[in-house]
Amino acid sequence: MSDWTKDRRHSTEQDRRSNGPSRWSNCRKRGVDGSLRAGGGERENNNRHPDERSSSFTTPESTGPVSRCSMASDWGSLVQEDEDIRRDVQRDMQRYRRRILGTEVAQRERKTSSGSSGSHDSKDEDNIETDEAVLLRRQKQINYGKNTLAYDRYIKEVPKHLRQPGVHPKTPNKFKKYSRRSWDQQIKLWKVKLHAWDPPAGEDQEETQDHEEQLELGDVMDIELDFPTLLPPCAAHSLSVQGEDEDFSGTPVKLQKTEDVEPGMF
Amino acid sequence: MENSTDDYKIQSLDVDAQKILKTALKDPSAVNLEKVSNIIVDQSLKDQVFSKEAGRICYTIVTAEAKQRTGLVFRKNLLNRLQQEFNDREETRARSLHAWTCFVTFICNIFDYLKVNDMPMVVLVHPVFDCLMRLGQPDALMNEEEVDCLVLQLHRIGEQLEKMNSQRMDELFFLLRDGFLLQDGLTSMARLLLLEILEFRAGGWMLSGTAHKYYYSEIAD
C-alpha cells in the first residue's frame, strides 16, 4: 500500500493547486491545450512522495462528523437520535408555519380595518429558514444548551411569564433566517447567559431529574413567545400529546458543563 | 402473504434460525431481536447470497417493528453489531477475504435498504466509504474477489453515496484511476472491472449503449 494516496486524500485545496490537479497527469506528454509538455516523458514510480509529508499528517479514519456532535457513539443510538431530531424539527416547522400564517391573517385584518396598506403576505414566508440541514444543525446546538443543569434550574426558577427580554436568556429562533455567523453568536450569548444558573458546586444532582417534561414543552413555548397572539386551541392541544414515544428517544444524561461536549461546534 | 417469507433466500440457515427469522418478519415482538440481528449478521458474513438479501429482510423487520410501536430494538441491535464488525474489519480481512467481502456487501446492502425519513443513514456514510476505500487500496486491487465486490457495490449505491458526500467519492475515484493506470500485476479482469466503473460514474452512474455492449456482449471479438 502506498502512503501517497493516503496523503492525497487529506491534502488541502492549496496543495492540489500547487501540484496540479493530479500528479499523475504530469505524465502526459500533452497538456490540456494540446501542446507538448517540456519534460513530458515517462516518469519512474519512485517520484511518489513529492511533498514529503510525514505520515503523521494523516488522520485516522473516522466514523464521521456525526459522532462529534453527539453524546452517544454507537450507531444504533446515533440513528435513533437523528430520526428523532429530524421528526421534531419537521413537526416544529409545521407548527411554526401554522402560527406564523395565523398571526399574519390576524395582522392583515387589523390593518385593513385601520386603513393602512401593505400586503407582504409572502414576506414572512421568505424569512423562514427551511433548509433542513441548517435546521438540524441549529436544533443540535439548542439541544446542547438545553441539556444542562443550568437550563433546568433556569426554567424552574424563572417561570415563563416572568422572563424579560434582554435580561433573561432566550432561546434563539431556529426558523428565522440568519447568517451562520449571526446564529452562532446568538447561541454563544444564550449559553453565556444560561451559565448564570449553573448550580453551586456540590449541589445534589438528583433534584433536577423530574423536569424532562417541562424541558420538552419549553422547546415549543420559546418559539411561541415571538408571536404576541393566538394559539388556536387545536395547536395548544397537540402540545400535550407529544410525549408518547419519548421512552426510546435516548435522552442523554444531564451534563454540568456544556464546554466539554461540543468540540465540533465552532 | 405465505409466499412472502419464502421469497427471502433463507434456506441456507439452519432450521431453528429459519423459524426465528420467519417469526421476526411477521411479528418482531414475539422473538428476541438481538438474537435475530446476530443471526442475520453471522449468516451475512459467511454467505454472499444472504448478505445481498439481508437488507430487504432487515427492512421488513424494521417496518414491522415500527408498526407495532414498541420501539426500534432490532435496528439498534443490528446497527451496533454492524459497528462492531466494522471496527474489526481489518482482522476479518486478514482472516478471510470471503468474510470481508461478505461484510462489505452486507453493510452496503443495509445502507441501500434501511432509510431514516427516506434518507440514507448518515451514520453509515463514512463507514461505507471507508470500506470501499479499503477495497481500492493497491493490495486489495490484486484480488479479483475484492475488485468485484467494490464495483458491484458502486453499481448499486454509488449514486446515493455520491449525493451524501461527493468529496469522498472523488477521493475514491482518484484511487481507482491510479489503480487502473499505474498498478503492476492487476489482472486484465480487474482492469476491465475498474475501467467499467470509471465509465459508469463518468456517464452519470449509467453506461451508454455502446459501453454496455462492449462490457456485456457475449460476442465480443
Side-chain angles (χ1 to χ4, degrees), chain B residues 120-182:
Chain B
M121 289 185 282
V122 181
V123 77
L124 290 184
V125 173
H126 282 292
V128 166
F129 269 118
D130 288 344
C131 290
L132 298 184
M133 286 296 277
R134 185 64 190 84
L135 288 174
Q137 297 299 325
D139 61 335
L141 291 181
M142 299 305 282
N143 304 314
E144 255 173 42
E145 194 182 354
E146 290 185 274
V147 181
D148 194 52
C149 176
L150 171 68
V151 298
L152 205 66
Q153 307 319 318
L154 282 170
H155 271 280
R156 287 244 175 75
I157 59 169
E159 192 171 7
Q160 291 180 65
L161 268 179
E162 181 164 34
K163 278 193 192 121
M164 297 301 285
N165 192 330
S166 60
Q167 196 193 333
R168 287 211 70 183
M169 191 56 85
D170 287 341
E171 286 162 9
L172 177 61
F173 271 76
F174 289 153
L175 200 62
L176 299 187
R177 288 188 189 100
D178 285 342
F180 174 77
L181 276 174
L182 301 163

Side-chain angles (χ1 to χ4, degrees), chain A residues 34-53:
Chain A
S35 60
L36 284 169
R37 274 178 213 249
E42 291 284 323
R43 289 206 191 173
E44 297 298 318
N45 276 0
N46 56 15
N47 282 349
R48 283 192 172 187
H49 296 278
D51 53 350
E52 297 294 329
R53 214 164 341 164

